[in-house]
Amino acid sequence: MPQAPRYTAWRVAGIALMVAGIISSYVLSFAGWRIGTESKLLFWILVALFPILAVPGAFLFWRGRQYAAQASAEGILTDAKPHLLYLRPFRSDETTRKQVFGPRLTTSEEEQLADVLRPFGELVAIGRPGEGLPTPGAARIYVSDEEWKNVVKRQMQATRLVVITADVGENVLWELMQAVRTVEPQRLLILVLEMKAEDYQSFRTKANPILGVSLPERVTSRRFGRVFGFRRVSGFISFAADWTPSFLALKGPYFRSGSFKRLAKYALRPVFESFRLEWQPPPISLSQIAGVIPFVILGLAAVGVLAIILLGLLGNGNG
């Protein structure tokens, strides 16, 4: 019987510890007062169990994902299948601190982007200098500071699609300039991800002279940016053969949205069609349906209460 890969064991151990931590927190929530009354020592043991179990569990789970990304990259970088080049500022990468102490353990936008673009090819990126294990998402190529520009140029010449994350950093703008010189317009995508409106305008100011065209000025922000009172710009910018840009907003039908992956798939539908690749809508999101159900129940309950009150008033009037 073949042994499970090491990264599977790391992830399973991490999940087990996190589940144990969550269970202890629920026990504390539902029975904490009574336990505290009967045994303060047991109460404080339960209080300490969640961080003691959950934090190492999150670390093991993240490390397992990194080992899995490393194993996957070895196969991707050596096969002959088409590759896509993903260029971004290193500070946008997920870190161990974010994953272990952050509010989420879900897949990152980069991992979801790699999944959405898989029909085009596997996503490849330059790895952050000095990191021991790769960030899950695009397969990492590690090169020295002296080599990275030549590697980017070679990758651009061979890649099927170049995706550049919008940023005003010197390296990203250099990469954008090389893309304009090297690839056909239809093979370039600019990813605008949760940028403040003023930051996007700064990027436009620097990118327009490089591209020789004016990027869209008025773009649609993501839905929750407006809800919470701040404006963020998210979407893709694609180009026609004459470099005419189009903004592809991250939006889709409510019951088929809910994650970056789902919204990105809707946004990239014109790109799929231009490459003559099959495009299918994401399945209906059960989480989106679950979010609506309580409001439906409350609405029905309110209608029922109003009906009872009206019937009561009519009955009193007839009496």
Side-chain angles (χ1 to χ4, degrees):
M1 182 176 179
Q3 290 184 339
R6 178 172 59 170
Y7 55 80
T8 300
W10 282 77
R11 287 188 292 190
V12 170
I15 291 172
L17 284 175
M18 287 188 289
V19 169
I22 292 171
I23 291 174
S24 70
S25 69
Y26 273 105
V27 170
L28 181 62
S29 299
F30 289 105
W33 180 83
R34 183 171 180 179
I35 292 173
T37 303
E38 296 177 356
S39 172
K40 290 186 177 181
L41 176 61
L42 181 57
F43 174 80
W44 287 112
I45 289 175
L46 284 174
V47 169
L49 271 180
F50 180 72
I52 288 174
L53 296 174
V55 172
F59 173 78
L60 291 177
F61 184 71
W62 167 247
R63 188 63 85 217
R65 289 172 59 196
Q66 287 184 294
Y67 280 123
Q70 185 182 57
S72 176
E74 292 174 358
I76 290 172
L77 296 176
T78 56
D79 66 28
K81 296 178 182 179
H83 292 163
L84 314 181
L85 182 60
Y86 177 56
L87 302 168
R88 83 287 176 210
F90 289 135
R91 66 175 177 274
S92 66
D93 287 357
E94 291 289 313
T95 63
T96 300
R97 179 179 296 179
K98 285 181 184 178
Q99 285 291 322
V100 174
F101 297 102
R104 67 175 189 181
L105 286 168
T106 56
T107 55
S108 66
E109 281 85 0
E110 182 181 325
E111 292 173 273
Q112 296 176 59
L113 178 65
D115 199 17
V116 170
L117 292 176
R118 192 153 285 120
F120 295 85
E122 295 291 347
L123 208 60
V124 172
I126 304 297
R128 179 195 291 268
E131 68 179 2
L133 287 170
T135 302
R140 263 42 176 184
I141 302 173
Y142 293 97
V143 295
S144 66
D145 291 340
E146 294 76 21
E147 297 174 325
W148 76 271
K149 288 187 176 181
N150 289 329
V151 172
V152 167
K153 290 179 182 178
R154 289 198 300 269
Q155 289 292 323
M156 282 186 179
Q157 292 170 356
T159 191
R160 192 177 189 185
L161 194 67
V162 176
V163 183
I164 300 178
T165 299
D167 190 79
V168 295
E170 179 182 343
N171 289 339
V172 172
L173 294 174
W174 178 88
E175 291 163 343
L176 182 61
M177 183 181 298
Q178 298 309 309
V180 171
R181 295 174 178 176
T182 306
V183 305
E184 298 172 354
Q186 302 95 317
R187 295 199 293 121
L188 175 63
L189 283 175
I190 297 176
L191 170 60
V192 183
L193 187 58
E194 290 301 317
M195 290 187 80
K196 294 179 181 178
E198 56 269 26
D199 291 338
Y200 173 71
Q201 294 305 324
S202 297
F203 172 72
R204 284 186 68 250
T205 301
K206 293 181 179 294
N208 287 348
I210 296 173
L211 294 163
V213 295
S214 181
L215 293 179
E217 182 175 3
R218 296 186 176 277
V219 292
T220 305
S221 60
R222 287 183 74 171
R223 181 171 58 247
F224 58 77
R226 294 192 297 272
V227 170
F228 290 102
F230 56 86
R231 187 166 177 241
R232 299 267 179 173
V233 179
S234 288
F236 295 87
I237 299 173
S238 64
F239 299 89
D242 61 354
W243 284 103
T244 300
S246 299
F247 187 79
L248 311 176
L250 291 182
K251 60 182 181 180
Y254 180 80
F255 288 111
R256 293 183 185 272
S257 61
S259 68
F260 172 79
K261 177 180 175 180
R262 291 168 174 270
L263 295 173
K265 191 164 188 180
Y266 270 103
L268 292 172
R269 181 174 183 175
V271 182
F272 273 74
E273 293 172 348
S274 68
F275 277 77
R276 297 183 180 180
L277 292 173
E278 181 184 3
W279 182 91
Q280 293 182 346
I284 293 175
S285 172
L286 295 179
S287 62
Q288 295 292 91
I289 294 176
V292 171
I293 289 175
F295 295 100
V296 173
I297 293 173
L298 287 173
L300 293 174
V303 170
V305 170
L306 287 174
I308 292 171
I309 292 173
L310 287 174
L311 288 174
L313 292 173
L314 291 173
N316 292 333
N318 292 332

